[in-house]
Amino acid sequence: MEPTISFFGLGYVGLTTATCLSSKGFKAICYDIDKQKVNTINQGKPPFYEPNLSKLLLKATKTGLLTATTNPTDAVLNSTITFITVGTPSNPDNTIDLTQIENAAKTTGKALQQKTTHHTIIVKSTVLPTTTQNIIKPTIEKTSGKRTPKDFGLCVNPEFLREGNAVQDTLNPDRIIIGETDKESGDTLESLYQNFYSKMPPIIRTTPVNAELIKYANNAFLSTKITFANSIANLCQKLPGADITTITKAIGLDKRIGPLFLNAGLGWGGSCFPKDLKALSVFAKKMGTPLPLIDATLLINHYQPLRAIQLTEALLGKLKGKKVAVLGLSFKPDTDDIREAVSIRIINELLAKGARITAYDPAAMHNAKRIWNNKIELSTNAYKCIQGADCSIIVTEWKEFAGLEPEDFTARMRNPIVIDGRRVFDPNKFSEKLTYVAIGLGTERIDPLEQPDEYGWLNPALSVNAIIQEKNRILLVKRKNTPFKNQWSLPGGYVEYGETVENALKREIKEECGLYIDSLNLLEVYSSPERHPSKHVVTLCYSANTSGGKLSKVDEVSSARFFRINEIPETLAFDHTQMINDFFHTKK
Ligand code: UDX
């Protein structure tokens, strides 16, 4: 007789795993606090779009093998194994939010109080190394009054399923990782999988901390692999004749590299990569071992979506009033999930620049409505979306977009310009009939890197033409290649992920002016979210000294831009106005 399994948390991982187990005859009791979700599941309907899931779920609920409940005690008492599959989202400071994990551990612990037989708890949620031993285990022990391994077993069993492929990945995983706190619980979980898979996938039984870190290392490697392809793609764009698709095909044939996760594009998003990489980066820093490679991956990916804006501006000039069609909103094809999708960055930036947006996605329209409501026009199909547009951007590589022909665009668009952010079209075919630019395709027509936006946003390496310096203090800079080249501006710049403002300024001033700054006196950080909805904009006001001076501590920010002097609000202008006046006064 197969064991009955309970699930805590019915997102992609929990519901897909439960449904797949039921499809092979296992009984699953699925617990979630969300009543509506529980009702929908009991009707045999998944609360999100996932290929192949509805059919299996409907069958599982009809046969009674899968039931959903809002009663956690029933779920634990009527099962012998509990999978914890709740979410582990990011806090605003990029640390991992363990609220749901802690609640699940407490709820399971409380339910265990009433249990007279041994129970096994499996942590499938993504948690940072040591969380299971240091947080989950003591929480369950405290609330249940029981001890592991005597009364209950505990394992970490990370999940590697991809949205859009969740069923397939659950039924055919590359491997199974079991991080066991004791041998018996590892045996219990292994035997569950032995019964589930007709051909057992490779299995690695190890410590909980290894299992936890394997999950992070896996996601970090995959996203870094994509970012590597994106970086080479960005270089290709500067080299006429170069094409990233040929380059990744060639390097992917090297068995040591492999072809998967090398598709260059506008960057990665989703519910896992962004939060996991940020959490790993912060965790590693806290452990005293920063991971600059991961920080670089995050930084490059932060800017990657903006390449779509850069290309649009390079082709259309000022975007105010221009109609831009966005094809694809979900973070990848075959899902309606829009979490951390690059479409959000792209659309918000286009809106901030005054463009009018029409958008279409085969599955994510309801989520798009929630985010933008009537700020953008949502079309019912791709053809309506591109009608009358000045430019079309492919943001997600849905299969149906690949079927569009150049004539579909030329017949409908006001200005037939296509920016292929996911390399879905044949460059030769499209270039013949319309203006076609693509990520990773070298082109002689435009040179986007020479066209930074008005704040020099996309080009962190903008060099300085001149600086006004008083003794060792840098007051103002003039920059090359910006529309402000004739104006003095405050030195300041990009703050990288995880970098403090002080360090960023020191780095920038060193890079740009060749000066080593010993200390900085940061006067104020000012952000203006109304003007810049992306909320990534800050103005930095500070004075710098090559020796001595105060170092004031500030919080980390994700990025910064330059502002014109006359844009600095009155309250902050004081110090600089004073400095400038003093300077010119002394000069005279
Ligand atoms: C990922 C991991 O793949 C999975 O193992 C883990 O369990 C959860 O996180 P998921 O986020 O569902 O899965 O999607 P995935 O297919 O990995 O794609 C993530 C992002 O990378 C998407 O935005 C996708 O468009 C992008 N991507 C993927 C690329 O840009 N290029 C590629 O070659 C592959």
Side-chain angles (χ1 to χ4, degrees):
M1 180 69 183
E2 311 295 8
T4 299
I5 302 149
S6 53
F7 288 84
F8 274 45
L10 302 178
Y12 284 89
V13 172
L15 187 61
T16 310
T17 313
T19 308
C20 288
L21 280 163
S22 298
S23 75
K24 300 260 179 109
F26 290 80
K27 202 162 176 240
I29 308 173
C30 303
Y31 159 73
D32 201 287
I33 41 168
D34 185 338
K35 239 190 199 146
Q36 201 186 336
K37 199 185 250 187
V38 164
N39 288 341
T40 314
I41 292 170
N42 277 331
Q43 288 162 23
K45 292 185 219 149
F48 46 81
Y49 173 78
E50 182 61 45
N52 304 321
L53 187 63
S54 4
K55 219 169 79 191
L56 291 181
L57 180 63
L58 190 63
K59 199 168 155 209
T61 48
K62 272 198 175 148
T63 53
L65 280 171
L66 187 148
T67 50
T69 175
T70 49
N71 186 332
T73 314
D74 279 359
V76 171
L77 293 182
N78 294 312
S79 61
T80 53
I81 300 175
T82 296
F83 278 87
I84 295 182
T85 49
V86 292
T88 48
S90 283
N91 285 314
D93 65 353
N94 289 340
T95 54
I96 180 170
D97 177 357
L98 287 178
T99 316
Q100 294 180 50
I101 282 283
E102 280 167 335
N103 286 341
K106 279 183 200 154
T107 320
T108 319
K110 266 195 201 131
L112 278 185
Q113 285 173 2
Q114 299 175 38
K115 188 123 198 199
T116 49
T117 47
H118 195 269
H119 197 83
T120 307
I121 296 161
I122 314 292
V123 180
K124 230 183 200 328
S125 303
T126 301
V127 288
L128 282 163
T130 70
T131 308
T132 303
Q133 288 283 21
N134 294 349
I135 296 175
I136 300 176
K137 181 178 138 191
T139 308
I140 300 174
E141 287 190 331
K142 197 171 157 205
T143 42
S144 65
K146 301 196 167 181
R147 291 282 165 270
T148 177
K150 186 169 82 61
D151 307 311
F152 68 94
L154 184 60
C155 287
V156 181
N157 175 220
E159 181 53 61
F160 301 96
L161 60 81
R162 290 162 296 170
E163 287 181 27
N165 254 19
V167 170
Q168 209 37 36
D169 286 349
T170 307
L171 296 175
N172 304 291
D174 289 340
R175 73 312 206 186
I176 286 170
I177 309 296
I178 297 179
E180 57 206 51
T181 57
D182 67 297
K183 185 174 175 311
E184 195 194 332
S185 54
D187 288 346
T188 305
L189 186 56
E190 179 168 348
S191 98
L192 167 73
Y193 284 130
Q194 295 276 7
N195 291 335
F196 177 65
Y197 293 110
S198 36
K199 186 174 174 285
M200 187 66 181
I203 183 163
I204 291 181
R205 288 184 57 170
T206 182
T207 58
V209 74
N210 264 345
E212 290 163 330
L213 189 51
I214 285 167
K215 170 72 193 214
Y216 280 93
N218 209 83
N219 276 354
F221 189 88
L222 289 171
S223 47
T224 302
K225 193 174 177 191
I226 303 166
T227 293
F228 176 83
N230 288 342
S231 302
I232 302 294
N234 296 343
L235 178 62
C236 284
Q237 231 157 307
K238 297 279 278 182
L239 301 167
D243 185 347
I244 190 64
T245 57
T246 309
I247 291 170
T248 46
K249 187 175 168 196
I251 65 172
L253 285 169
D254 187 322
K255 287 192 187 65
R256 294 166 300 177
I257 295 175
L260 302 177
F261 276 64
L262 275 181
N263 292 332
L266 290 169
W268 40 263
S271 63
C272 291
F273 284 174
K275 79 157 171 86
D276 289 350
L277 261 75
K278 288 175 196 167
L280 179 63
S281 165
V282 174
F283 174 76
K285 276 192 191 105
K286 275 192 188 144
M287 296 297 292
T289 312
L291 301 173
L293 179 62
I294 304 306
D295 293 340
T297 296
L298 278 163
L299 182 74
I300 296 165
N301 196 59
H302 179 74
Y303 289 116
Q304 195 66 14
L306 299 184
R307 298 193 80 83
I309 315 291
Q310 219 177 8
L311 289 167
T312 314
E313 279 185 323
L315 291 160
L316 288 182
K318 286 253 174 285
L319 297 184
K320 200 165 169 44
K322 301 275 165 57
K323 186 169 173 179
V324 180
V326 173
L327 291 173
L329 299 169
S330 56
F331 83 95
K332 63 183 238 180
D334 292 324
T335 177
D336 62 357
D337 198 342
I338 204 165
R339 283 175 287 176
E340 299 270 342
V342 300
S343 64
I344 300 176
R345 288 283 306 287
I346 293 171
I347 289 178
N348 286 346
E349 200 71 22
L350 287 169
L351 286 173
K353 286 175 178 284
R356 291 180 299 134
I357 311 290
T358 52
Y360 166 69
D361 187 279
M365 297 306 264
H366 57 291
N367 286 327
K369 205 168 169 49
R370 209 171 25 81
I371 296 184
W372 292 288
N373 198 8
N374 49 14
K375 279 198 196 134
I376 66 173
E377 191 186 317
L378 294 170
S379 309
T380 47
N381 62 46
Y383 303 108
K384 285 190 183 153
C385 182
I386 59 178
Q387 188 71 44
D390 293 296
C391 173
S392 295
I393 310 176
I394 308 293
V395 176
T396 315
E397 66 276 33
W398 282 92
K399 258 202 198 100
E400 67 172 73
F401 299 152
L404 292 170
E405 295 292 332
E407 291 74 15
D408 292 322
F409 291 95
T410 49
R412 291 177 177 83
M413 291 179 68
R414 203 160 78 93
N415 229 336
I417 296 178
V418 172
I419 297 176
D420 189 349
R422 296 289 176 186
R423 303 307 307 267
V424 297
F425 299 129
D426 174 353
N428 293 330
K429 187 162 125 187
F430 269 67
S431 298
E432 259 178 33
K433 303 270 171 61
L434 45 73
T435 306
Y436 175 82
V437 292
I439 291 292
L441 185 69
T443 162
E444 289 179 62
R445 199 168 23 232
I446 53 164
D447 191 357
L449 282 187
E450 298 308 315
Q451 305 199 24
D453 78 6
E454 53 182 337
Y455 300 112
W457 175 228
L458 287 168
N459 193 349
L462 286 179
S463 49
V464 168
N465 260 343
I467 58 172
I468 294 182
Q469 227 178 307
E470 190 185 36
K471 297 194 187 115
N472 289 327
R473 190 165 63 166
I474 298 158
L475 298 179
L476 295 166
V477 295
K478 265 191 189 178
R479 297 174 171 281
K480 282 182 194 156
N481 294 338
T482 72
F484 300 144
K485 56 176 175 262
N486 295 321
Q487 292 182 37
W488 293 104
S489 65
L490 293 167
Y494 290 76
V495 181
E496 297 181 358
Y497 271 104
E499 193 179 36
T500 62
V501 171
E502 286 101 330
N503 280 344
L505 293 174
K506 284 185 193 173
R507 179 178 49 73
E508 288 252 340
I509 293 167
K510 194 188 100 213
E511 281 166 9
E512 298 187 351
C513 314
L515 281 177
Y516 286 87
I517 303 298
D518 293 336
S519 67
L520 281 169
N521 182 18
L522 197 75
L523 304 171
E524 196 127 16
V525 178
Y526 167 76
S527 81
S528 82
E530 334 56 54
R531 287 197 41 170
H532 298 276
S534 60
K535 292 191 187 158
H536 287 306
V537 183
V538 296
T539 304
L540 306 169
C541 305
Y542 64 90
S543 62
N545 290 289
T546 46
S547 61
K550 274 191 213 143
L551 195 69
S552 49
K553 181 112 184 61
V554 293
D555 290 330
E556 290 175 358
V557 295
S558 57
S559 61
R561 294 187 189 183
F562 298 99
F563 272 71
R564 281 181 286 198
I565 289 290
N566 60 11
E567 283 187 334
I568 296 169
E570 290 254 322
T571 46
L572 295 182
F574 163 76
D575 296 291
H576 296 89
T577 319
Q578 195 60 43
M579 276 195 249
I580 297 155
N581 285 345
D582 287 349
F583 178 80
F584 285 111
H585 185 70
T586 335
K587 273 259 165 188
K588 270 186 227 153

